[in-house]
Amino acid sequence: GEDVEQSLFLSVREGDSSVINCTYTDSSSTYLYWYKQEPGAGLQLLTYIFSNMDMKQDQRLTVLLNKKDKHLSLRIADTQTGDSAIYFCASYLGGFKTIFGAGTRLFVKA
Amino acid sequence: EADIYQTPRYLVIGTGKKITLECSQTMGHDKMYWYQQDPGMELHLIHYSYGVNSTEKGDLSSESTVSRIRTEHFPLTLESARPSHTSQYLCASSEAGDGYTFGSGTRLTVV
């Protein structure tokens, strides 16, 4: 069935790069998204990549997509304490259907 | 500024009460959604709408109902709140594959 999987936790030091990984099962995914959720808030769309792209860069964020392995990653360069949050990977299958992962909790140590 | 608004942010209510969670968006999006999320956990789709007068139930069974009389407004109603309804409720809207715009959520506690 359709599924999106992420590791639950990641801890990095301030200034280092963070890499959050995600795998998805449905090859018909057209868009893949990364959302950020801070405590007590809704989800904020960070970036997305169309399924025919391999990479997208947006300031400190780099998204890599390996469509063959159905693997998506989000790299945050020069991670700051303000980046501490939950990051959700999501796969858009068309219509109303978006599958969200369970979220990766990023802890940034000063 | 285009945005999506949810009210109230926090609600504590007694068992058996009827409540309506409000959601409005200013972007003119046809698609709107309600998700239930225990704090920091997975999102579960409970209702969605393709447009005015179109509502469907999502993947997670819910005792709530929704209506879509206007494009911008998608309220969710619980006829009789129970402690098992305690959760965070997130409203979102979208257009094609552009990703979702989420509201700030309503944190509901039923005592």
Side-chain angles (χ1 to χ4, degrees), chain A residues 33 35 37 40 43 96 98 105, chain B residues 9 37 40 48 97 99-100 102-103:
Chain A
Y33 306 93
Y35 290 87
Q37 185 178 35
L43 278 69
F96 73 92
T98 296
R105 287 123 193 92
Chain B
R9 283 297 311 274
Q37 183 194 29
Y48 63 95
Y100 290 9
F102 280 88

Side-chain angles (χ1 to χ4, degrees), chain A residues 58-73:
Chain A
D58 185 1
Q59 300 182 327
R60 290 190 299 125
L61 306 178
T62 303
V63 179
L64 294 177
L65 175 60
N66 181 329
K67 201 170 177 184
K68 175 176 166 288
D69 294 339
K70 300 191 187 68
H71 182 264
L72 183 74
S73 67

Side-chain angles (χ1 to χ4, degrees), chain A residues 31 33 35 37 40-43 45 48 86 88 92 95-98 100-102 105, chain B residues 9 31 33 35 37 40-42 48 50 59 88 90 96-100 102-104:
Chain A
Y31 291 88
Y33 306 93
Y35 290 87
Q37 185 178 35
L43 278 69
L45 179 65
Y48 66 93
I86 304 174
F88 290 89
Y92 178 61
F96 73 92
K97 199 82 171 175
T98 296
F100 288 86
R105 287 123 193 92
Chain B
R9 283 297 311 274
K31 294 177 192 162
Y33 314 82
Y35 284 87
Q37 183 194 29
M41 303 296 284
E42 290 178 73
Y48 63 95
Y50 279 122
D59 303 321
Q88 174 161 255
L90 293 171
D98 291 346
Y100 290 9
F102 280 88
S104 298

Side-chain angles (χ1 to χ4, degrees), chain B residues 80-97:
Chain B
S80 179
R82 294 211 300 267
S84 60
H85 295 137
T86 294
S87 190
Q88 174 161 255
Y89 293 83
L90 293 171
C91 181
S93 70
S94 73
E95 199 65 49

